[in-house]
Structures are given as C-alpha cells and as structure tokens.
Amino acid sequence: SLVPVDDTQFSHILRLLNTNIDGRYKVVYALTSIKGVGRRYANLCCKKAEIDLNKRAGELSVEEQERIVSILQKPWEAKIPNWFLNRRKDIITGKTSQLLAVAIDNQFREDMDRIKKMRTHRGLRHYWGLRVKGQHTKTTGRRGRTVGVSKKK
C-alpha cells in the first residue's frame, strides 16, 4: 500500500523457512522467494491465513508470519486440496506433501540417486550427462563437449 508505514514496525528482510524474504514486496510475491512456493500456492496460503493481499511482507506481524509458516508447512490442516501440493503419492511412503526450501533439494537428489541405482534408461542418461526427455542430440547440445571433424593428412 502507498500509505507510509512507521519504520519501527517495518522489517526490510524477513527470515521464513531458512530463506531471506524481501519486505518491500507484496506478501504473495515475497513468499515466492521460498523454494517450493509459487504464486498460486502463496496466494492460497495468504487467503487461508486471512492476511490482506495488498500488505507488504515487511508489514506482517510476528503472529501473521507464524500463521503463514504453519499453513505452508502443514497445508492439509488448512484444508488445501492434495492436487495443489508439489509431492503427490511419494514413491516410498505413498503420502502427499508439500516440499519446501531444503527438503526439495534433498528429495530431488534422492530421486536422482534412486533412478541411477536402478539403472533405468532415464537414470543412465542423467549419469552420462546426456539429454533425458527424448530430444535429438546429433547436432544440438554440443556445448561443453568437443565435437568436430579432424582433417586427414
């Protein structure tokens, strides 16, 4: 909002879920700096936490920050549907969850290790550093590798 805020209450950098959040942005867009939180999920969490969407992130009170974090971490308690979450039917546990911040990196690494260990086609392509999703590789993607024709003498 354009109304000047008392600078003693405004915090320029917030710390939520081990991520620095810029307090100058509106709440929804500020939350997207957390890995695993997009615009739609941030918008839904703010609505469930009953927070004014026109507020800046730096204007949030401690109580409002705690409400947002609890909804981000436990979306099923706020009745956010399963199809909205980013880890549906986990291959090991079979549960649906929302992965945030460091958990996304850890889970991605575990998934890559699992498919490499199983020696699936996809896992082998990852291991060899080749394209995985069926792209052509005869002429494109030559960066990083030295491919050329040597002249015969």
Side-chain angles (χ1 to χ4, degrees):
S1 61
L2 296 173
V3 180
V5 181
D6 184 17
D7 202 36
T8 57
Q9 296 172 352
F10 190 85
S11 56
H12 291 277
I13 294 177
L14 298 158
R15 186 86 174 150
L16 298 178
L17 298 171
N18 295 330
T19 308
N20 291 336
I21 293 174
D22 195 345
R24 296 173 299 178
Y25 293 121
K26 290 194 176 180
V27 179
V28 175
Y29 292 98
L31 287 176
T32 59
S33 62
I34 299 171
K35 197 165 185 179
V37 179
R39 289 189 312 216
R40 292 200 53 199
Y41 187 63
N43 191 355
L44 183 65
C45 288
C46 287
K47 286 178 181 175
K48 293 282 186 180
E50 297 171 0
I51 289 167
D52 182 19
L53 299 178
N54 293 319
K55 248 186 184 182
R56 302 279 165 182
E59 299 172 14
L60 292 175
S61 67
V62 177
E63 191 261 337
E64 288 173 326
Q65 291 176 25
E66 288 172 358
R67 270 192 302 186
I68 287 177
V69 168
S70 69
I71 290 173
L72 286 172
Q73 289 179 326
K74 298 176 182 168
W76 53 91
E77 289 179 1
K79 296 193 170 102
I80 292 176
N82 281 346
W83 56 264
F84 218 98
L85 306 181
N86 66 6
R87 182 82 178 174
R88 292 189 293 276
K89 293 184 183 173
D90 184 58
I91 197 115
I92 296 165
T93 62
K95 293 181 180 177
T96 300
S97 63
Q98 179 75 14
L99 298 178
L100 302 167
V102 182
I104 280 191
D105 299 328
N106 294 338
Q107 195 63 53
F108 180 74
R109 197 176 325 98
E110 286 174 18
D111 289 347
M112 286 296 118
D113 291 343
R114 182 175 42 81
I115 64 172
K116 286 176 189 174
K117 189 176 176 186
M118 288 167 47
R119 305 204 38 93
T120 61
H121 179 269
R122 196 168 139 223
L124 290 171
R125 301 286 292 186
H126 273 295
Y127 180 72
W128 293 328
L130 297 171
R131 298 285 169 95
V132 176
K133 296 182 179 179
Q135 298 96 321
H136 291 265
T137 56
K138 183 177 182 180
T139 57
T140 62
R142 291 183 178 178
R143 269 189 135 171
R145 293 181 186 231
T146 53
V147 177
V149 178
S150 60
K151 238 181 184 180
K152 286 188 180 178
K153 290 187 180 179

